[in-house]
């Protein structure tokens, strides 16, 4: 154990991490996770309690996403959910040399998908607010398009695509529409505003939502939901020797710990608890933006969710200078900016300390 402790001590704690979409799990999620660690959802007949928790956790997310009848499973995270959603869409079309149309802001998991599923990845332009341009999507779709993708909470800027309009285009053209809400899935339902980005938007066929990001569950906790059961069924393999003959997950063996963690944290926090968490993260984000403005820096967009991007000429240099004060931040590609995620582990005090260090670093350049 001493060897392990030595290695664990090398890992950072989350205090000064502003670059991550993960956060320490809620204590109740951790407790639940430990209790179910050795169970296996890959053979659910042996662990019916864990399987029931998964069904209920998926049901709670389905309700949150505006379609209580939606079906799906708990994956290892956004990458697996995106792969499986596109695989289901491709299988629905029954051909292999197709394409998918994703926004230029899509997560790099879609590049992996192109490679894995032998699909051409077509990238649609963004508008000035960094949302996908629906006209550009329309120009890129053709008879070989197996799916369009909209993002509810882009990785770099936390922006939300016009899913509603994409949904109408999807219905008109008979193409699947997958929404990647890996990050935004546990943010948008708790924000004020009339977002129509989930199953409430007609035409949305599947949604990626990650409990291990803003859902405060344990890693690896992903979610994938489908509007139509037949799409989930398109992922099924045949394994008659298991207690479930037609498993749909990408991985075989998978711990029930995540089902327990998601179930526990969703029941414990409920709508009210999550709203408090999100309110606080948004207040931290507003403080970050206001403090940045005081030292003459503007955000790229007014934050939609708890992702703050600050315009500057040389964000990579600022990033490495901030490392001297032990701050971990990241940068964006286009437009270039310093990227900060205000996760639940951050405090007002640390936001202020960060802003003071940022001002010092920027003064070196002036
Ligand atoms: N879709 C979106 C919109 C995402 O932001 C991410 C990950 C994924 C899909 C893929 O999810 P998984 O990583 O669960 O497969 N977004 C973060 C990113 O790649 C993940 C992350 C988390 C990165 C913590 C760094 C980190 O320290 O930027």
């Amino acid at each position: 154990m001493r060897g392990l402790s030595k290695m664990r001590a090398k890992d950072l704690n989350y205090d000064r991490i502003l670059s991550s979409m993960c956060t320490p799990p809620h204590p109740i999620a951790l407790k639940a996770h430990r209790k179910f660690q050795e169970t296996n959802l890959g053979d659910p007949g042996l662990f019916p309690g864990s399987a029931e928790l998964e069904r209920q956790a998926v049901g709670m997310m389905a309700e949150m996403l505006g379609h209580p009848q939606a079906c799906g499973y708990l994956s290892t995270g956004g990458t697996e959910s995106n792969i499986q959603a596109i695989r289901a869409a491709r299988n629905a079309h029954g051909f292999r040399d197709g394409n998918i149309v994703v926004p230029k802001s899509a997560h790099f998991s879609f590049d992996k998908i192109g490679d894995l599923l032998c699909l051409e990845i077509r990238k649609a332009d963004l508008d000035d607010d960094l949302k996908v341009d629906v006209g550009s999507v329309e120009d890129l779709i053709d008879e070989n398009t197996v799916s369009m993708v909209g993002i509810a909470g882009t990785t770099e800027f936390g922006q939300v695509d016009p899913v509603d309009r994409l949904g109408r285009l999807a219905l008109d053209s008979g193409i699947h529409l997958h929404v990647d809400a890996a990050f935004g899935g546990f943010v948008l339902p708790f924000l004020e505003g009339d977002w129509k980005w989930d199953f409430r938007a007609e035409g949305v066929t599947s949604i990626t939502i990650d409990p291990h990001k803003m859902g405060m569950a344990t890693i690896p906790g992903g979610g994938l939901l489908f509007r139509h059961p037949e799409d989930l069924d398109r992922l099924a393999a045949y394994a008659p020797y298991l207690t479930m003959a037609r498993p749909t997950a990408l991985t075989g063996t998978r711990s029930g710990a995540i089902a327990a963690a998601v179930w526990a944290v969703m029941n414990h926090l409920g709508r009210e608890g999550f709203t408090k968490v999100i309110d606080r993260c948004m207040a931290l984000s507003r403080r970050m933006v206001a403090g940045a403005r005081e030292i003459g820096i503007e955000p790229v967009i007014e934050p939609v969710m708890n992702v703050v991007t600050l315009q500057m000429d040389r964000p990579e240099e600022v990033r490495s200078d901030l490392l001297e004060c032990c701050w971990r931040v990241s940068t964006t590609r286009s437009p270039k900016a310093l990227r900060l995620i205000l996760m639940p582990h951050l405090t007002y005090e640390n936001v202020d300390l960060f802003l003071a260090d940022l001002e010092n670093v920027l003064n070196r350049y002036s």
Side-chain angles (χ1 to χ4, degrees):
M1 278 316 258
R2 268 195 41 227
L4 288 180
S5 302
K6 226 167 109 187
M7 290 303 174
R8 188 67 181 94
K10 289 187 183 189
D11 293 340
L12 304 188
N13 69 36
Y14 273 95
D15 287 6
R16 289 191 164 224
I17 296 181
L18 282 150
S19 59
S20 174
M21 289 187 153
C22 292
T23 197
H26 192 288
I28 205 153
L30 206 54
K31 211 167 153 190
H33 188 107
R34 288 190 179 126
K35 203 175 171 95
F36 283 79
Q37 180 68 66
E38 71 204 47
T39 67
N40 176 17
L41 292 170
D43 206 357
L46 305 184
F47 303 100
S50 305
E52 180 60 29
L53 288 179
E54 182 182 34
R55 269 193 296 280
Q56 290 189 17
V58 167
M60 286 188 270
M61 289 195 282
E63 201 162 325
M64 189 169 91
L65 299 178
H67 187 53
Q69 299 80 28
C71 56
Y73 76 96
L74 296 179
S75 70
T76 52
T79 299
E80 178 182 336
S81 297
N82 286 341
I83 293 171
Q84 290 279 80
I86 301 302
R87 193 176 142 226
R90 187 205 60 179
N91 291 354
H93 284 263
F95 54 77
R96 309 253 137 180
D97 299 318
N99 65 70
I100 61 171
V101 178
V102 307
K104 276 195 174 140
S105 50
H107 184 258
F108 63 84
S109 49
F110 289 97
D111 295 326
K112 298 182 192 176
I113 288 168
D115 194 20
L116 279 167
L117 299 178
C118 298
L119 294 169
E120 181 197 346
I121 308 298
R122 298 184 176 172
K123 298 196 175 179
D125 291 332
L126 308 183
D127 65 16
D128 291 344
D129 292 327
L130 306 174
K131 297 179 191 176
V132 76
D133 174 1
V134 181
S136 171
V137 175
E138 200 166 357
D139 290 344
L140 290 172
I141 56 175
D142 61 20
E143 64 285 358
N144 289 332
T145 303
V146 301
S147 185
M148 300 187 283
V149 173
I151 310 172
T154 59
T155 307
E156 287 189 301
F157 295 95
Q159 185 55 282
V160 183
D161 287 328
V163 173
D164 201 12
R165 289 173 56 210
L166 290 175
R168 265 175 269 141
L169 179 60
L171 284 180
D172 288 347
S173 42
I175 298 174
H176 278 63
L177 172 60
H178 174 61
V179 174
D180 181 356
F183 186 73
F186 273 95
V187 181
L188 291 168
F190 310 109
L191 288 180
E192 279 177 22
D194 193 15
W195 305 97
K196 220 173 165 199
W197 63 275
D198 56 12
F199 289 120
R200 275 166 271 245
E202 274 185 76
V204 171
T205 42
S206 53
I207 299 180
T208 286
I209 172 171
D210 274 356
H212 71 196
K213 295 191 170 75
M214 285 300 288
M216 302 200 69
T218 47
I219 299 173
L224 171 61
L225 281 87
F226 290 100
R227 186 189 291 274
H228 307 295
E230 56 270 28
D231 279 327
L232 178 63
D233 202 53
R234 289 189 171 102
L235 298 173
Y238 185 51
Y241 66 94
L242 294 177
T243 52
M244 177 176 59
R246 288 171 60 73
T248 46
L250 184 61
T251 52
T253 307
R254 56 195 180 101
S255 175
I258 178 58
V262 177
W263 189 93
V265 79
M266 287 191 79
N267 273 306
H268 177 76
L269 286 179
R271 168 156 276 281
E272 206 179 311
F274 272 115
T275 304
K276 272 192 196 144
V277 171
I278 305 309
D279 277 356
R280 187 172 161 279
C281 290
M282 291 309 293
L284 289 166
S285 305
R286 284 192 296 275
R287 185 158 177 145
M288 185 65 91
V289 170
R293 282 199 164 114
E294 272 171 35
I295 54 175
I297 311 167
E298 282 297 314
V300 177
I301 55 167
E302 280 307 323
V304 176
M305 45 189 80
N306 47 328
V307 178
V308 172
T309 46
L310 301 177
Q311 297 173 32
M312 56 188 68
D313 292 337
R314 290 176 292 191
E316 288 86 5
E317 285 169 53
V318 173
R319 175 190 193 168
S320 64
D321 284 358
L322 284 166
L323 205 57
E324 287 168 26
C325 331
C326 300
W327 295 110
R328 300 293 169 132
V329 301
S330 57
T331 55
T332 61
R333 292 161 300 176
S334 175
K336 280 194 174 299
L338 202 67
R339 170 179 172 265
L340 313 165
I341 326 280
L342 283 300
M343 295 298 287
H345 57 263
L346 285 153
T347 60
Y348 291 100
E349 192 190 358
N350 272 2
V351 169
D352 292 345
L353 288 172
F354 172 79
L355 284 163
D357 285 338
L358 179 63
E359 185 173 17
N360 285 337
V361 164
L362 291 173
N363 283 341
R364 291 183 200 165
Y365 298 111
S366 54

